[in-house]
Amino acid sequence: MWTEEQWDVIAPKHASSVVVAGPGSGKTTVMTEHMAQRIAGGWTPAHRILAMTFTRQAAEHMRQKLRGHERLRTVDVESCTMGTFHAVFFRALLEADVDVYPVLSQREQYAVMREAMVEVLGERRAVSMHEVQSCLTAYSRAVGAQTLEGLDRRMKKILRAYDQKKRAMNRWDHDDILMASLRLFHSPAASKGRLFQMEYVLVDEFQDTNELQWVLFSSLLERNGALGFVVGDDDQSIYAFRGASPVFLQRAAKSLPHAQQYLLTFNFRSDRLILRRAASLIRHVRERVDKPLRGVRDADGICRAYQVRDRAEQWRLAAYLLQHAASRNFSSAVLGRTRNQLAAAWAALRRLLGTDGENVVGRPEFRTFHDSKGKEWDSVILLDMAVSCVANLNSDEERRLLYVAMTRARHELYALVPRVMDGIPKCVHPFLLEAGIGVEQLHGGDEERDLGSKLGEKSLDFSGCN
């Protein structure tokens, strides 16, 4: 059932473990099995184990898998502490009798930040939702990095005003939970809580850790004399706008007590050509843990890019590809870099597919590249894979983001490249070229042939790959 490299990770040991795992390698499943083996083998009492994730769904999924494990009793599973960083540390604050404050809802957080911006920029200044989101992102990044360095003077004033308004209301946001938790380490009240009795601490998706979370995690291990287990993929670190950085996973093997590093390199999700192109792209990232991306599937799969006249023809092609996937009962997804791209695609595809499209459009998922992380589909369509012809795009964060989007596909990956967007000529996204994906030209309307005639089964040749 388990590969040799998976079992090396699963087997309990008297050391901390740093697991760098490629996409589709079953890293969360391996981490859960490791917990089960550690509890069942008597290595660590269940009530001394803490597992932290970045979403409530991930924590609940982990607990459900443990509940179904044949070697574990219900009391063992329920004795483990599992939850998000924020939930775990908020509970620790409550147990230590620290003064805590109601956490702002997302709507309240937006309202407070808008007030701060108006105060700094002037009452007559119109503040858009996008600007509010940008300031909240800057605040979260600054808290995560524990510094305001790199921000301009106006942004610093806005963030300080936001912080002051929260304090005046006796309210917190999620970042305040972690800041208060950091102070808890130096409080005599800390000994009251279960958090400081943990002997084994696990963290999933460790590449999403920011500076503050790293300090909390490493301080907890040091204070408790505990061992740690972290798993993640630095190549899938895509939340820099929240302060997350792959460096914490990359340096963990040297920083955690008695740590050993392991690699999970076998991909159980994607067909060969998809993996080959994804591996070609990610090799261009400058700082990363070097690891192979090895597939276990025999099929080659499809990995192609099509350049079309404009976005209208892009959506016509996407409609065809969705119908083609639905005809074979394939799950499918339309991925875009931004929500605006997805909204435009959704509206266009509804118009194109009409009444018959209700069933087709109802099946695919429409998600941003960021939101696709942790998910997978048989067929994936990447929208608007075109950039300004004078752009000099050389961002490792963006490379990792495209890598995440590409590796969501099991059998088919299509990148759609409009030659014109909003009336402006565009060129093929350079990262498609770095990935080695061949781009086929589709000239809708040329020589009295429309795009539809070029989208037949024969002309696209779905039986193979470029």
Side-chain angles (χ1 to χ4, degrees):
M1 178 181 178
W2 304 104
T3 66
E4 184 176 342
E5 65 179 13
Q6 285 177 326
W7 186 251
D8 284 345
V9 173
I10 291 169
K13 50 194 73 72
H14 296 292
S16 292
S17 298
V18 177
V19 185
V20 184
S25 60
K27 55 182 178 292
T28 303
T29 301
V30 168
M31 173 176 159
T32 305
E33 182 65 24
H34 172 74
M35 286 179 64
Q37 295 293 335
R38 193 165 191 96
I39 296 169
W43 287 71
T44 307
H47 67 282
R48 302 288 190 188
I49 291 179
L50 165 64
M52 291 189 288
T53 64
F54 283 86
T55 66
R56 288 190 296 261
Q57 295 90 336
E60 183 56 30
H61 178 67
M62 188 180 302
R63 193 179 292 278
Q64 288 292 351
K65 289 181 75 69
L66 288 173
R67 284 173 179 152
H69 200 282
E70 59 184 9
R71 294 193 64 191
L72 296 182
R73 302 172 300 166
T74 300
V75 65
D76 292 327
V77 178
E78 302 309 321
S79 296
C80 294
T81 299
M82 301 181 205
T84 65
F85 260 94
H86 294 97
V88 165
F89 281 99
F90 191 77
R91 188 184 306 121
L93 293 170
L94 291 174
E95 291 174 349
D97 294 327
V98 174
D99 288 336
V100 299
Y101 299 97
V103 178
L104 294 166
S105 68
Q106 185 180 58
R107 178 175 293 183
E108 290 172 326
Q109 199 175 1
Y110 271 71
V112 175
M113 180 58 81
R114 185 185 294 275
E115 289 178 12
M117 294 176 69
V118 169
E119 181 179 294
V120 172
L121 302 175
E123 291 186 5
R124 296 183 179 181
R125 170 73 157 77
V127 177
S128 69
M129 185 65 72
H130 175 73
E131 289 175 310
V132 174
Q133 178 62 63
S134 295
C135 287
L136 286 171
T137 297
Y139 181 81
S140 185
R141 186 190 303 117
V143 172
Q146 301 188 80
T147 180
L148 292 176
E149 292 301 319
L151 299 176
D152 60 40
R153 182 180 178 184
R154 185 176 68 171
M155 182 62 77
K156 289 179 181 178
K157 290 181 66 175
I158 290 172
L159 301 191
R160 290 190 180 109
Y162 170 71
D163 198 50
Q164 290 168 0
K165 289 183 178 297
K166 285 189 300 173
R167 293 176 185 276
M169 298 167 62
N170 287 326
R171 299 292 295 275
W172 275 358
D173 60 20
H174 286 88
D175 294 314
D176 290 308
I177 296 172
L178 300 187
M179 291 296 292
S181 300
L182 190 59
R183 295 190 291 271
L184 183 61
F185 280 89
H186 307 289
S187 168
S191 58
K192 297 181 181 180
R194 292 179 61 194
L195 181 66
F196 297 102
Q197 300 171 16
M198 296 300 165
E199 300 174 4
Y200 200 71
V201 184
L202 304 95
V203 183
D204 195 12
E205 302 290 357
F206 202 72
Q207 76 280 347
D208 295 336
T209 305
N210 62 30
E211 177 75 31
L212 180 53
Q213 289 162 336
W214 165 259
V215 171
L216 287 169
F217 171 70
S218 56
S219 298
L220 181 61
L221 296 189
E222 182 179 1
R223 189 188 189 285
N224 290 11
L227 296 175
F229 180 104
V230 302
V231 60
D233 182 5
D234 58 328
D235 292 333
Q236 297 187 67
S237 181
I238 58 174
Y239 296 115
F241 62 91
R242 299 179 187 168
S245 171
V247 301
F248 304 113
L249 176 62
Q250 292 166 352
R251 76 185 189 190
K254 295 181 180 179
S255 303
L256 300 185
H258 314 292
Q260 299 177 25
Q261 180 169 291
Y262 303 87
L263 299 180
L264 293 179
T265 62
F266 285 100
N267 179 289
F268 298 90
R269 176 188 301 151
S270 304
D271 290 340
R272 290 178 178 177
L273 279 177
I274 296 170
L275 292 182
R276 191 179 305 165
R277 302 307 181 215
S280 295
L281 170 65
I282 205 63
R283 279 197 290 267
H284 288 80
V285 171
R286 289 175 285 274
E287 296 291 334
R288 57 184 295 265
V289 176
D290 188 29
K291 51 191 173 296
L293 189 58
R294 299 185 286 186
V296 299
R297 293 182 177 274
D298 293 330
D300 283 339
I302 294 175
C303 186
R304 290 178 173 171
Y306 294 110
Q307 191 171 43
V308 296
R309 182 174 59 194
D310 52 24
R311 296 181 90 194
E313 290 193 355
Q314 169 185 244
W315 293 323
R316 290 174 64 187
L317 177 53
Y320 176 87
L321 294 172
L322 290 177
Q323 289 174 318
H324 188 71
S327 69
R328 292 163 295 148
N329 293 317
F330 269 21
S331 61
S332 59
V334 177
L335 307 184
R337 179 63 180 81
T338 68
R339 295 189 184 279
N340 287 339
Q341 290 172 331
L342 294 179
W346 169 258
L349 289 168
R350 295 280 290 188
R351 290 194 303 270
L352 284 170
L353 294 167
T355 304
D356 293 337
E358 292 293 332
N359 292 332
V360 177
V361 176
R363 292 175 184 171
E365 295 189 47
F366 288 70
R367 294 185 179 271
T368 63
F369 286 7
H370 283 96
D371 193 36
S372 72
K373 188 166 171 287
K375 301 172 180 65
E376 58 186 72
W377 300 271
D378 295 319
S379 182
V380 170
I381 299 171
L382 309 180
L383 296 175
D384 293 338
M385 294 305 298
V387 298
S388 167
C389 293
V390 296
N392 182 21
L393 190 59
N394 190 26
S395 164
D396 283 346
E397 172 84 0
E398 289 295 323
R399 283 188 180 92
R400 291 194 293 265
L401 186 56
L402 179 56
Y403 177 76
V404 167
M406 291 175 66
T407 53
R408 301 310 93 193
R410 294 192 191 102
H411 308 303
E412 299 175 353
L413 177 66
Y414 302 104
L416 309 188
V417 187
R419 285 189 290 272
V420 176
M421 293 172 59
D422 299 324
I424 301 173
K426 299 290 182 178
C427 290
V428 177
H429 199 297
F431 294 167
L432 292 182
L433 304 179
E434 288 184 358
I437 301 177
V439 182
E440 180 177 337
Q441 304 284 332
L442 294 180
H443 299 283
D446 283 0
E447 299 177 358
E448 300 180 353
R449 292 180 302 176
D450 63 12
L451 180 62
S453 68
K454 296 187 177 184
L455 299 184
E457 194 90 357
K458 184 176 180 179
S459 64
L460 283 183
D461 186 19
F462 283 96
S463 62
C465 289
N466 289 335

